[in-house]
Amino acid sequence: MTGIVDIVYAEYNYWIYVTLMMIGFYAMIAKKNLIKKIIGANIFQTAIFLFYISLADITGGTAPILVGGHGGEHVEHAADVIYTNPVPHVLILTAIVVSVSTTAVALALIIRIYNEYGSLDEDVILAARKSLQPEFSEYARQKDVAEVNHQ
Amino acid sequence: MSRIQESVIIRTVVRIMVPFIELFALYVIMHGAGGPGGGFQGGVIFGAAIILYAMIYGIAEGKQKMSDALDRILASTGLTIYAGTGLLCLFFGGMFLQYGAVPLIPNDPATVSKYLIDLVEIGIGTTVAAIMISLFFDVSPPESEEGELPEELPDHEGVDG
Amino acid sequence: MKTLALLVVVITGAMLIYAGQDLPPFGDPNTDMYQHRMTQYFIENSKTESGVPNIVTALLANYRGYDTLGETTVIFTAGMAVMLLLRRRER
């Protein structure tokens, strides 16, 4: 059993990332409330950020800002200092901005949906759409047929 | 007006804190080249300062400090600064965003590119701050004449997943 | 519905953990990703080429300048989209 414990401990960042990501994934597909779906998507994205940043880490490494790079101080030789990997940091900085943008647009759409239908529940919204225009939503009709078959 | 907005302590502390938060945001933007920080982070902090002010003093008063028109102008200006820096490099014979091509200081492209990176960070910070403030004002509820929240908010019942 | 979702989540998580056995241990410097010459090039030359000591900023604003311009455009577009969706008409 010590082998398994060692494997889990050596890659515990990966286990935490998978757990968080699956929590977000479950919220995205199982919850009916649109706000909770957005929260799930955010947890999912955060898990990926965490995964990338943890991949960049080097034991004993410092932040990727050059030591003594401001001039005036004693500049150590670059090989003497271990820096963590800067490339995932940059990628995740991009991803965070995109995440903020998508969340903002999604929340704005949800506000409009709430003003229109008076509900955030997926089933209520689909039922309201179906009653407005019977052949409007293909998905809603298929869902209805499936429910009838189930009964 | 809610109880938090009426509190003298919170109003005074916010009035004192907002300039310092803005100053810290400018520090973070300008320090992006030399340490932790950058345009995105500083822009969000600057936006948070204005949002804090608007939350405590009301949306209408917040819009007096940062009107919608100014917001839109700032958001476009930041992007223009960034793209303009790239076009400046084109103008001096380099490639797009090749900072070293600008002959600001002769024979020292690294220093030139340091200053132009600062300029680019300022552009990013301006856009991000303006967009954060406009997002907050867009999702805030419609204000009545005095800038207070309307009495009748829509009910939020029966919503659960 | 919920049991189906749970099943999907558990299967996906198990597959991810199975695939993750090949990943390097946490904090290991002897990985291909860290020893790759691109990473080492950025760490060694970003100061002389960009003039800024912060490697992340040098990457963001200099080497990936196009990408950051696109990123700023993304956040600008998101702000404009929210404005279009939610702003009440001014009379």
Side-chain angles (χ1 to χ4, degrees):
Chain A
M1 284 305 280
T2 49
I4 293 174
V5 171
D6 282 346
I7 288 172
V8 171
Y9 182 69
E11 296 174 348
Y12 68 94
N13 60 327
Y14 193 69
W15 289 76
I16 291 169
Y17 138 72
V18 169
T19 312
L20 260 179
M21 190 172 174
M22 287 307 112
I23 290 170
F25 191 38
Y26 180 79
M28 275 173 79
I29 59 179
K31 293 292 177 186
K32 296 285 183 196
N33 190 327
L34 294 178
I35 294 282
K36 290 182 181 174
K37 277 181 188 288
I38 297 297
I39 292 172
N42 268 315
I43 295 172
F44 196 105
Q45 287 166 334
T46 311
I48 294 173
F49 302 160
L50 201 63
F51 174 57
Y52 264 70
I53 296 296
S54 73
L55 275 186
D57 188 45
I58 303 294
T59 308
T62 180
I65 297 165
L66 292 175
V67 174
H70 298 278
E73 305 158 40
H74 171 65
V75 181
E76 295 183 48
H77 193 254
D80 295 340
V81 187
I82 305 169
Y83 296 106
T84 50
N85 195 344
V87 181
H89 293 192
V90 181
L91 298 179
I92 290 311
L93 198 53
T94 308
I96 288 172
V97 172
V98 174
S99 154
V100 168
S101 308
T102 51
T103 308
V105 175
L107 289 176
L109 284 171
I110 285 176
I111 290 174
R112 286 299 299 267
I113 288 171
Y114 184 78
N115 288 343
E116 198 73 20
Y117 296 101
S119 171
L120 287 175
D121 195 292
E122 206 182 32
D123 292 338
V124 176
I125 293 164
L126 286 172
R129 287 182 62 154
K130 209 165 53 161
S131 67
L132 286 176
Q133 274 175 302
E135 62 277 359
F136 189 69
S137 169
E138 187 66 24
Y139 169 70
R141 202 169 61 222
Q142 281 172 1
K143 196 163 180 288
D144 206 30
V145 169
E147 276 172 9
V148 168
N149 288 343
H150 188 68
Q151 284 160 4
Chain B
M1 231 183 228
S2 71
R3 194 183 293 165
I4 289 176
Q5 286 176 321
E6 280 173 355
S7 163
V8 176
I9 294 174
I10 290 187
R11 289 175 84 89
T12 313
V13 167
V14 166
R15 188 181 286 270
I16 295 171
M17 283 301 289
V18 162
F20 288 104
I21 298 174
E22 288 177 353
L23 190 66
F24 179 64
L26 295 180
Y27 163 75
V28 169
I29 292 175
M30 289 312 292
H31 204 62
F40 293 105
Q41 298 91 324
V44 170
I45 294 172
F46 195 92
I50 305 281
I51 289 171
L52 179 67
Y53 186 85
M55 280 169 82
I56 300 302
Y57 283 86
I59 304 295
E61 191 139 346
K63 280 194 177 177
Q64 278 181 3
K65 301 288 176 196
M66 183 65 106
S67 67
D68 290 343
L70 180 63
D71 221 40
R72 263 172 280 176
I73 290 169
L74 281 181
S76 324
T77 308
L79 203 51
T80 314
I81 289 174
Y82 198 146
T85 310
L87 290 177
L88 192 72
C89 304
L90 271 186
F91 181 75
F92 284 108
M95 287 178 283
F96 190 68
L97 289 171
Q98 187 192 358
Y99 306 116
V102 179
L104 202 64
I105 303 165
N107 303 323
D108 196 0
T111 313
V112 173
S113 97
K114 181 181 170 186
Y115 290 135
L116 288 183
I117 284 173
D118 277 342
L119 189 64
V120 159
E121 297 273 6
I122 291 170
I124 296 171
T126 314
T127 299
V128 172
I131 291 297
M132 286 299 144
I133 296 163
S134 97
L135 286 182
F136 175 74
F137 284 149
D138 284 344
V139 298
S140 58
E143 70 267 30
S144 58
E145 291 297 314
E146 290 84 25
E148 294 172 8
L149 295 178
E151 291 295 318
E152 298 169 19
L153 284 172
D155 57 335
H156 297 280
E157 293 172 355
V159 176
D160 202 4
Chain C
M1 185 62 196
K2 299 229 160 160
T3 46
L4 183 67
L6 201 61
L7 197 68
V8 169
V9 164
V10 168
I11 289 173
T12 317
M15 277 162 63
L16 281 171
I17 284 176
Y18 175 70
Q21 303 301 317
D22 295 337
L23 280 175
F26 183 55
D28 183 14
N30 297 317
T31 61
D32 286 346
M33 190 173 70
Y34 189 66
Q35 298 297 337
H36 194 274
R37 61 194 162 89
M38 184 185 78
T39 306
Q40 295 300 322
Y41 178 86
F42 285 145
I43 290 175
E44 282 159 20
N45 297 330
S46 68
K47 169 75 174 160
T48 49
E49 288 186 353
S50 312
V52 291
N54 188 345
I55 305 172
V56 174
T57 304
L59 273 169
L60 184 84
N62 199 350
Y63 298 104
R64 284 167 66 88
Y66 276 112
D67 188 68
T68 310
L69 178 60
E71 203 178 334
T72 317
T73 316
V74 163
I75 200 163
F76 180 77
T77 315
M80 292 300 130
V82 174
M83 222 179 255
L84 280 172
L85 281 169
L86 294 181
R87 186 147 293 183
R88 290 159 288 276
R89 284 195 180 75
E90 298 158 12
R91 285 178 215 100

